[in-house]
Amino acid sequence: MKKNILITGGAGFIGSHVVRLFVTKYPDYHIFNLDALTYAGNPENLKDIENAPNYTFVKGDITDEKFVPVLFKTHNFDGVIHLAAESHVDRSITDPFAFIRTNVFGTCNLLNAAKNAWKENYEGKRFYHISTDEVYGALEFDGSFFTEETSYDPHSPYSASKASSDHFVRAWHDTYGLPVVVSNCSNNYGANHFPEKLIPLAIHNIKNNKPIPVYGKGENVRDWLWVNDHARAIDLIFHKGINGETYNIGGHNEWTNIDLIKKLCEIMDRKLGREPGTSAQLINFVKDRAGHDLRYAIDASKLQRELGWEPSLQFEEGLDKTVDWYLSNQEWLDNVTSGNYQKYYASQYEER
Ligand code: NAD
Ligand code: TYD
């Protein structure tokens, strides 16, 4: 069935995988990718599909109160998959207001535009909000998991802004009847991940013989999921999820940061033909992140039980593939780390 779908933040890490999946899997859908191209947005992530007949890139800001309603009016969207966000915890510590603006206000601006565009008839419409497990706070080393019923307890400005946006999404559902669905996912890894985040940063530094910064003692635990498996879950939830419901997505794959970095060092030694143990010498324990959450772990059993989703890849296979991707896409990494990607695309995508 022909549909116009708005995906926000599609030039970023996870968004680019979601856009590619939808553009290639659903030729009857027209995918509109609304992205402000902040430092984290890189249209090079979508070079392979940028000329597809069912794909349109729109440079614009989700906080723009004039433009967003016009966009909804012009394209008569059937669905929204909302990923645009400021996403890096460390940046939220130094510049919290950018997070409040985009993650809270931007989400409300989209919700309101969807409500106003769809209010005559919500039939067949859906607003899907992509969120994070970080809204639930931090777990102890006690084998517990975040479920969909876990109370929100965010600690960083990033997680507080995402928690706030989740509440607003539910408020638009409960107050105005907007058909919404929310998912909260654990840490993603894979191709096109901006190298300020742990895994791509470590790969880049190991490759270039630079120190690998490990915060505190490296004891914090994250639950890692391959980004393509997150995109598959988003596809499933968008099509089969129930309005008003929340779905947790996670890999059942907990690693302390230090064990993960040691594993990456081993893989990199092998791939780069270095003596075993060479890359691990780059590990550098640095000052801990302020308010650093100890442990995240997701119980994704609802998604598995109700919609039949499960991760497709074992972590070691996924890490191996990820390292291969960064090693064979040195130009992408060089463009991102030098800032060249922004200069190049600034000339291609003019401000509206
Ligand atoms: P990212 O930082 O890689 O990409 C964000 C994208 O949003 C970029 O393309 C950026 O240009 C765009 N953007 C930012 N502000 C905008 C604005 N005001 N208007 C329009 N576009 C804007 O982020 P990501 O890691 O791909 O995360 C995507 C979503 O998934 C976020 O909502 C994040 O909270 C959520 N999430 C991320 C993870 C993870 O591990 N990365 C895990 C769970 C949930
Ligand atoms: P990150 O990739 O920033 O994701 P998040 O904060 O959303 O979980 O960080 C993952 C973990 O790695 C987190 O516990 C912080 C830690 N970390 C480091 O030890 N060193 C680093 O340089 C970075 C960026 C993160």
Side-chain angles (χ1 to χ4, degrees):
M1 200 177 66
K2 284 247 170 267
K3 281 187 178 187
N4 281 353
I5 309 292
L6 175 67
I7 298 183
T8 70
F13 167 47
I14 302 172
S16 59
H17 291 276
V18 176
V19 166
R20 176 176 303 99
L21 180 66
F22 273 67
V23 165
T24 52
K25 185 169 172 187
Y26 300 108
D28 280 354
Y29 291 4
H30 197 102
I31 304 302
F32 294 83
N33 172 11
L34 172 63
D35 197 298
L37 298 184
T38 68
Y39 80 94
N42 182 355
E44 206 174 322
N45 295 347
L46 290 167
K47 231 180 166 38
D48 52 326
I49 55 113
E50 69 183 358
N51 296 320
N54 63 337
Y55 173 67
T56 302
F57 180 79
V58 182
K59 184 173 190 290
D61 194 316
I62 60 166
T63 66
D64 188 329
E65 288 172 272
K66 290 208 176 94
F67 175 60
V68 169
V70 172
L71 192 67
F72 272 78
K73 227 189 170 93
T74 315
H75 298 297
N76 202 12
F77 298 123
D78 298 286
V80 177
I81 304 177
H82 172 39
L83 296 111
E86 289 292 341
S87 70
H88 190 43
V89 174
D90 293 326
R91 286 180 189 254
S92 82
I93 295 169
T94 48
D95 184 12
F97 285 93
F99 287 68
I100 297 164
R101 219 168 11 253
T102 287
N103 299 1
V104 184
F105 184 78
T107 299
C108 293
N109 193 35
L110 286 166
L111 286 166
N112 219 37
K115 182 200 89 178
N116 289 336
W118 297 343
K119 64 182 176 218
E120 303 304 331
N121 185 6
Y122 283 148
E123 191 62 38
K125 308 291 194 220
R126 166 152 286 177
F127 188 108
Y128 180 6
H129 177 63
I130 308 299
S131 193
T132 165
D133 60 356
E134 304 193 24
V135 299
Y136 297 123
L139 298 167
E140 296 296 328
F141 294 125
D142 58 3
S144 58
F145 295 97
F146 297 133
T147 72
E148 289 81 0
E149 276 72 49
T150 303
S151 299
Y152 276 27
D153 183 22
H155 299 132
S156 71
Y158 164 65
S159 54
S161 69
K162 291 295 292 187
S164 173
S165 66
D166 294 9
H167 288 314
F168 277 112
V169 172
R170 295 190 183 104
W172 253 259
H173 173 264
D174 295 350
T175 309
Y176 308 111
L178 192 74
V180 306
V181 66
V182 177
S183 60
N184 297 81
C185 188
S186 62
N187 286 63
N188 287 212
Y189 70 95
N192 302 107
H193 204 180
F194 197 84
E196 64 184 352
K197 306 277 172 74
L198 182 67
I199 290 181
L201 176 78
I203 295 172
H204 181 62
N205 286 13
I206 294 169
K207 168 100 195 304
N208 294 294
N209 278 308
K210 290 188 0 202
I212 313 162
V214 176
Y215 298 164
K217 297 188 197 127
E219 65 182 350
N220 304 68
V221 170
R222 296 294 181 263
D223 173 1
W224 293 96
L225 179 70
W226 192 40
V227 65
N228 301 65
D229 281 331
H230 188 188
R232 284 174 47 245
I234 289 173
D235 177 16
L236 202 57
I237 293 167
F238 181 71
H239 288 99
K240 303 264 166 62
I242 293 171
N243 284 334
E245 290 287 316
T246 296
Y247 299 88
N248 278 357
I249 312 172
H252 251 294
N253 177 42
E254 294 179 51
W255 287 74
T256 62
N257 292 337
I258 190 63
D259 286 346
L260 168 60
I261 294 300
K262 285 182 178 160
K263 172 60 67 187
L264 263 181
C265 288
E266 258 175 58
I267 298 177
M268 291 291 283
D269 281 345
R270 184 160 40 80
K271 304 243 178 221
L272 297 173
R274 292 178 181 169
E275 278 295 302
T278 311
S279 300
Q281 289 168 23
L282 297 166
I283 293 173
N284 182 29
F285 292 97
V286 298
K287 188 169 176 284
D288 208 352
R289 171 187 280 172
H292 197 171
D293 285 338
L294 184 61
R295 175 174 166 257
Y296 302 144
I298 278 276
D299 175 352
S301 56
K302 174 178 173 181
L303 183 59
Q304 182 170 19
R305 198 174 52 248
E306 295 187 6
L307 303 185
W309 175 89
E310 51 185 41
S312 70
L313 267 195
Q314 292 299 313
F315 188 50
E316 299 203 359
E317 191 187 346
L319 260 193
D320 208 77
K321 268 179 185 284
T322 301
V323 168
D324 283 345
W325 188 86
Y326 286 95
L327 293 181
S328 54
N329 286 274
Q330 190 57 46
E331 200 188 344
W332 181 90
L333 208 47
D334 289 343
N335 280 341
V336 172
T337 46
S338 67
N340 273 349
Y341 71 111
Q342 285 190 308
K343 285 180 214 133
Y344 175 67
Y345 283 105
S347 60
Q348 291 224 326
Y349 296 99
E350 297 305 329
E351 291 292 338
R352 284 174 308 95

